Amino acid sequence: MSVLTFKRKNTDTLGNLVKDPALLTSVIVIWMFLALFVLFPIFKILSIAFTEGGHFELSGLLKILGKKYTHIAAWNSILLGTLVGICGTALGFFFAFTAVRANLSKSWSRLLDWAIILPLISPPFTMAITVIFSFGPRGLITYNLLGLEHFEVYGMWSTLFAETITYFPISYITLKGILGGIDPTVEDMAFSLGSSRWDVFRKVTFPLSTSGLANSFLLLFAASLADFATPLILAGNGFPLLPTEAFLQITGLFDMKGGAILSFILLIPSLAVFFLQRYWVGRRNLVTITGKSGSQTKFKSVGNKTRYLFLFICLLTVLFILYFYILLLYASMIEAFGANNTFTLTHYKAIFTRGREVIKDTLIISISGMLLGGLYGVVVGYITAKKKFFSRKFMEIVAMINYALPGTIVGIAYLIAFNKRPIILTGTALIIIFCNVSKYGANGIRSTVAILQQIHPGIEEASVSLGASSIYTFRRITVPLILPGLFSGLGIVFIRSMTAISAAIFLVSLNWNLITVSILENMTELHLGVSAAFSVFVVITVFIVITGISFVLKSLRQPGALRITSLFGA
């Protein structure tokens, strides 16, 4: 009976493809894209790692695994990811709890939102640069304020600090939605039974937030595991990590096989975290409000004195973050940080003259990737959420693979896959654009699916029953409803294209370069003022784009539809 049911389901899904030419065309085109830009690069990196002279062999893997340095780098990567996950989740939960439960005014909540989103719209190593400006050998705090000379800033703790500040906003966005979705009447009932605020938090609020906390930890662990630039600047030789070792293996030793093997080692925990996160999110019960509820009163979780204390701690953290960005701006407007504090605009003149081509390349690649990535996210999200066809679930998983993998792996895989015939893309803008679309377009898929889950299928069925084609129904009914998902996808791909470096550093060339790579190059050449000026330019550009898209998202929201309050998933 089960075999007959399975065959009938396959026949039905194949029949849907045959009956709907538009769906069939979309599925074919998407699978061609996924096969070429997701599966093929992964196959190539695995073939390089496990073959020699066309034959399967494990000697290269065993040789790399036999090195003590590899064990240390792998352990350090997992340790750092775990610590960033714990510290970032704790800080994000504190901010989210204060924002949701402390009855803050809209102005205070808006201030928290905009201030802590700065690390997300900056190049990932911006915090690493400002840490050096603050705590380096000639740092503003260590040298100028405390008088410490030759202070050693490099190592695990500085890397942990920079990554925690960089990624805890992800936790804040995730947990703010979770805490905001808990019906306050659940806590009110506990209070009415005589429970104290601590008991309500410990027995009600915290247990209802555990799924979000676990999800946040996994997201931050994966983000740390994928971070390449921050450890490259701050970790130093005494704290090796897998992403930086894979990069140095290729760029320093020109050992493509060794880099592929280290990427494979990094691939294992990355995919494990990805599937664990999918499983955890999938088993969550997102229903927090059922039936009719009475009028909601103010949250009673936090007393007045505690509320002011929590807000004070949050504001101190926000001021600390703003200090780093003000310091970055200051460093971009003086001759030489720590040596000559004379005001100058020389660094900005440099980025708009010598760096003009880099800015142009970055904007062309970012805008092109934005348009393709937004379309890709909406189409894949729509057909995987609304259509039934053969390989639908598998397509959804494959479309998320590059999103789940660290950029270092994706960059090395693209370098290996498209450096030789039959497909040569290295040295072109296309290889960077397709890399960004395949990796960051997944955010558009997630936004589109979230919105489509709120659209009753009867709306589209009514259109089809009245004789409209699937294309006409999609264009006139579905598209207006999922426009927020489209613009969210557009924004994310643009932001990541402007700020990411882990994959792009392997794909840039003399013909096409990116601002983030130029920032890193200037850092290694000790042109700190130019690096700071480039970073300020990126932050301002992305901030303008995110503000514009957020305004469009609010204006496009349909009555009763899912409210997207952030491009990053809330």
Side-chain angles (χ1 to χ4, degrees):
M1 183 66 181
S2 60
V3 175
L4 291 174
T5 304
F6 176 74
K7 288 182 177 179
R8 183 177 298 171
K9 286 182 178 179
N10 277 325
T11 303
D12 292 342
T13 54
L14 288 172
N16 290 337
L17 288 174
V18 175
K19 294 176 184 178
D20 193 339
L23 176 61
L24 178 61
T25 303
S26 299
V27 170
I28 292 174
V29 170
I30 290 169
W31 267 122
M32 289 175 62
F33 178 84
L34 295 176
L36 185 58
F37 294 109
V38 177
L39 297 178
F40 177 62
I42 292 175
F43 169 77
K44 290 296 290 185
I45 199 172
L46 292 178
S47 66
I48 290 288
F50 294 109
T51 59
E52 187 70 44
H55 301 287
F56 176 79
E57 61 91 28
L58 294 175
S59 60
L61 176 64
L62 296 176
K63 182 180 178 181
I64 295 290
L65 288 176
K67 293 182 177 180
K68 185 179 179 180
Y69 210 65
T70 304
H71 299 166
I72 295 173
W75 166 251
N76 287 345
S77 297
I78 294 173
L79 174 63
L80 180 64
T82 302
L83 291 175
V84 171
I86 294 172
C87 296
T89 297
L91 187 58
F93 181 79
F94 182 82
F95 264 75
F97 186 81
T98 303
V100 175
R101 288 292 190 269
N103 297 312
L104 301 181
S105 64
K106 287 185 179 181
S107 57
W108 283 118
S109 296
R110 195 174 293 115
L111 173 64
L112 292 182
D113 287 343
W114 282 108
I116 70 170
I117 210 171
L118 277 172
L120 290 180
I121 64 173
S122 313
F125 46 78
T126 300
M127 197 56 61
I129 296 173
T130 53
V131 165
I132 291 177
F133 286 160
S134 297
F135 306 108
R138 305 285 291 186
L140 184 64
I141 294 177
T142 52
Y143 181 78
N144 293 329
L145 186 63
L146 301 178
L148 301 175
E149 295 186 9
H150 309 297
F151 184 79
E152 183 59 48
V153 71
Y154 304 100
M156 185 190 77
W157 296 111
S158 59
T159 308
L160 170 62
F161 172 79
E163 289 193 354
T164 298
I165 298 298
T166 300
Y167 297 120
F168 94 89
I170 298 174
S171 174
Y172 168 75
I173 291 169
T174 303
L175 294 171
K176 188 179 180 183
I178 296 294
L179 289 169
I182 298 174
D183 192 338
T185 57
V186 177
E187 295 179 346
D188 287 342
M189 286 188 288
F191 282 121
S192 66
L193 294 174
S195 299
S196 65
R197 288 190 173 95
W198 170 247
D199 287 334
V200 171
F201 173 79
R202 183 169 55 90
K203 296 181 180 180
V204 179
T205 309
F206 188 80
L208 289 174
S209 307
T210 51
S211 60
L213 289 167
N215 188 31
S216 168
F217 172 82
L218 292 173
L219 287 171
L220 267 61
F221 180 90
S224 173
L225 204 63
D227 194 351
F228 150 82
T230 302
L232 190 65
I233 295 173
L234 283 179
N237 296 327
F239 191 67
L241 296 161
L242 283 177
T244 52
E245 291 306 306
F247 169 75
L248 296 173
Q249 196 79 20
I250 291 178
T251 59
L253 302 177
F254 303 102
D255 182 4
M256 197 71 73
K257 186 179 181 68
I261 291 173
L262 287 174
S263 297
F264 169 74
I265 297 172
L266 185 60
L267 179 73
I268 296 173
S270 301
L271 287 179
V273 169
F274 169 64
F275 285 110
L276 182 60
Q277 195 256 349
R278 281 180 60 88
Y279 164 76
W280 195 273
V281 173
R283 69 190 288 267
R284 283 169 49 194
N285 180 12
L286 296 178
V287 178
T288 56
I289 302 175
T290 59
K292 295 181 179 180
S293 61
S295 59
Q296 295 184 359
T297 58
K298 288 185 177 181
F299 288 108
K300 303 173 184 176
S301 308
V302 180
N304 285 332
K305 293 183 179 179
T306 308
R307 177 165 69 99
Y308 291 122
L309 175 62
F310 283 7
L311 180 59
F312 177 71
I313 295 173
C314 287
L315 289 178
L316 280 181
T317 308
V318 166
L319 289 174
F320 198 49
I321 294 172
L322 291 177
Y323 152 76
F324 283 117
Y325 284 89
I326 293 170
L327 183 62
L328 187 72
L329 178 63
Y330 172 72
S332 71
M333 301 177 70
I334 59 174
E335 285 286 350
F337 188 87
N340 186 351
N341 295 330
T342 305
F343 176 80
T344 181
L345 294 177
T346 305
H347 305 310
Y348 286 97
K349 183 180 178 180
I351 70 171
F352 288 117
T353 52
R354 298 196 305 270
R356 183 171 54 189
E357 288 297 316
V358 176
I359 293 175
K360 184 187 73 173
D361 291 348
T362 303
L363 291 175
I364 290 174
I365 288 171
S366 299
I367 293 171
S368 301
M370 175 182 71
L371 297 176
L372 290 175
L375 178 64
Y376 166 77
V378 165
V379 173
V380 176
Y382 174 74
I383 67 173
T384 55
K386 283 292 184 180
K387 300 295 182 180
K388 293 182 179 180
F389 58 91
F390 181 70
S391 76
R392 179 173 66 92
K393 287 290 184 183
F394 187 53
M395 175 185 285
E396 184 182 0
I397 293 174
V398 173
M400 298 296 292
I401 288 178
N402 277 2
Y403 169 78
L405 296 180
T408 307
I409 297 178
V410 178
I412 293 175
Y414 269 58
L415 180 64
I416 294 172
F418 303 116
N419 198 36
K420 296 180 180 179
R421 295 185 183 278
I423 304 172
I424 300 178
L425 293 177
T426 51
T428 68
L430 288 176
I431 191 171
I432 307 175
I433 292 171
F434 286 135
C435 176
N436 291 338
V437 170
S438 67
K439 184 166 178 59
Y440 305 119
N443 290 278
I445 297 174
R446 296 170 66 190
S447 297
T448 302
V449 170
I451 293 172
L452 287 172
Q453 288 174 346
Q454 298 246 330
I455 301 175
H456 196 282
I459 298 175
E460 292 173 318
E461 291 171 1
S463 174
V464 174
S465 67
L466 292 173
S469 66
S470 60
I471 297 178
Y472 185 86
T473 300
F474 178 76
R475 180 169 58 88
R476 294 298 301 274
I477 295 178
T478 310
V479 167
L481 292 172
I482 62 175
L483 276 177
L486 171 62
F487 277 89
S488 179
L490 291 173
I492 287 293
V493 177
F494 180 83
I495 292 166
R496 296 309 184 201
S497 298
M498 286 287 294
T499 60
I501 189 174
S502 298
I505 197 168
F506 296 97
L507 308 177
V508 295
S509 62
L510 293 175
N511 299 323
W512 293 92
N513 201 356
L514 295 174
I515 291 176
T516 49
V517 178
S518 293
I519 294 173
L520 194 60
E521 289 173 350
N522 280 286
M523 282 291 296
T524 57
E525 295 170 4
L526 298 180
H527 297 158
L528 303 183
V530 177
S531 295
F534 265 130
S535 299
V536 171
F537 172 80
V538 171
V539 171
I540 293 174
T541 302
V542 173
F543 192 83
I544 291 171
V545 171
I546 194 176
T547 303
I549 292 180
S550 297
F551 176 78
V552 173
L553 284 173
K554 291 179 180 179
S555 63
L556 289 176
R557 180 175 177 257
Q558 300 294 320
L562 180 68
R563 183 187 177 199
I564 297 182
T565 57
S566 168
L567 290 181
F568 299 94

